[in-house]
Amino acid sequence: HEEYYASWFGVSTDIDDNSPLIQNALNAIPSGSILIFGPGIYKCQQTITIPDNPSISGHLKYITIKGSSDLPGNIFCHVTRLQYTGPNPATLTPFIDFRGSTGNRCFLGSLRNIVFVGLGNDSNIVGLWFYDCVGSLFDSIHVVKFKYGIQIDMYYYYSKFNDVLCAYCDYGLK
């Protein structure tokens, strides 16, 4: 598995909208890769969609999205933070969409050492929206200030949830 740094694709804490740059990185890296973010706040104003896996029908690319280090007790201090700063849409909209191009793809990957922050629990933003996430790993992730922190429409069997915090969401896990 290859490791790629988000900064190689222009992603920076100094940019108001990293969404297109993160999307380009996810589209470019091969399945089985790790996309690593350094510490800091990465502002995003649009939905980021995990790409379909061209080799396996019905699946997304097997990707790990990883922050720079383990999360300390204070989730807003020296961590990797992807923060949605875009508009509040009229209907439910994902920040990170793990459902693929058809809305019914399977994610088999991992999220590690990263904080996802939204607009608040009265917004229409879903932090992490999955259709199916069989065999996935969620390790030291915090999902904060979304309508729904994590929404899974189908299965999540064989998935591991270690140190997952959903806070200030209308529903933490739906």
Side-chain angles (χ1 to χ4, degrees):
H1 301 289
E2 298 286 331
E3 291 184 346
Y4 296 85
Y5 290 87
S7 60
W8 296 351
F9 298 89
V11 176
S12 169
T13 58
D14 298 327
I15 299 174
D16 287 335
D17 188 8
N18 282 287
S19 309
L21 302 171
I22 295 170
Q23 188 66 61
N24 287 341
L26 293 169
N27 292 342
I29 65 175
S31 190
S33 298
I34 301 169
L35 183 61
I36 301 171
F37 290 82
I41 300 170
Y42 298 90
K43 297 176 189 171
C44 300
Q45 296 179 3
Q46 304 167 49
T47 295
I48 298 166
T49 303
I50 305 301
D52 296 349
N53 189 333
S55 304
I56 303 174
S57 178
H59 284 75
L60 299 174
K61 283 184 177 179
Y62 303 155
I63 291 177
T64 294
I65 300 173
K66 183 178 175 186
S68 58
S69 63
D70 290 339
L71 299 179
N74 181 347
I75 64 171
F76 296 105
C77 180
H78 306 293
V79 298
T80 301
R81 188 165 132 191
L82 294 183
Q83 184 163 347
Y84 180 80
T85 58
N88 185 12
T91 60
L92 282 179
T93 303
F95 174 32
I96 312 290
D97 193 345
F98 293 87
R99 298 173 300 160
S101 64
T102 58
N104 63 354
R105 303 283 180 171
C106 180
F107 175 72
L108 176 65
S110 61
L111 302 173
R112 304 189 71 196
N113 308 330
I114 196 162
V115 176
F116 301 92
V117 180
L119 299 175
N121 65 352
D122 58 347
S123 71
N124 283 318
I125 303 296
V126 177
L128 311 174
W129 197 340
F130 299 86
Y131 174 76
D132 193 356
C133 58
V134 177
S136 298
L137 172 64
F138 302 87
D139 187 29
S140 294
I141 66 163
H142 297 176
V143 186
V144 182
K145 296 182 180 180
F146 291 100
K147 178 72 169 183
Y148 306 142
I150 301 171
Q151 179 168 332
I152 304 171
D153 295 337
M154 284 295 285
Y155 305 111
Y156 56 92
Y157 55 83
Y158 301 118
S159 291
K160 248 185 181 179
F161 296 83
N162 298 321
D163 187 24
V164 175
L165 170 73
C166 295
Y168 305 107
C169 298
D170 220 17
Y171 293 93
L173 177 63
K174 182 175 183 212

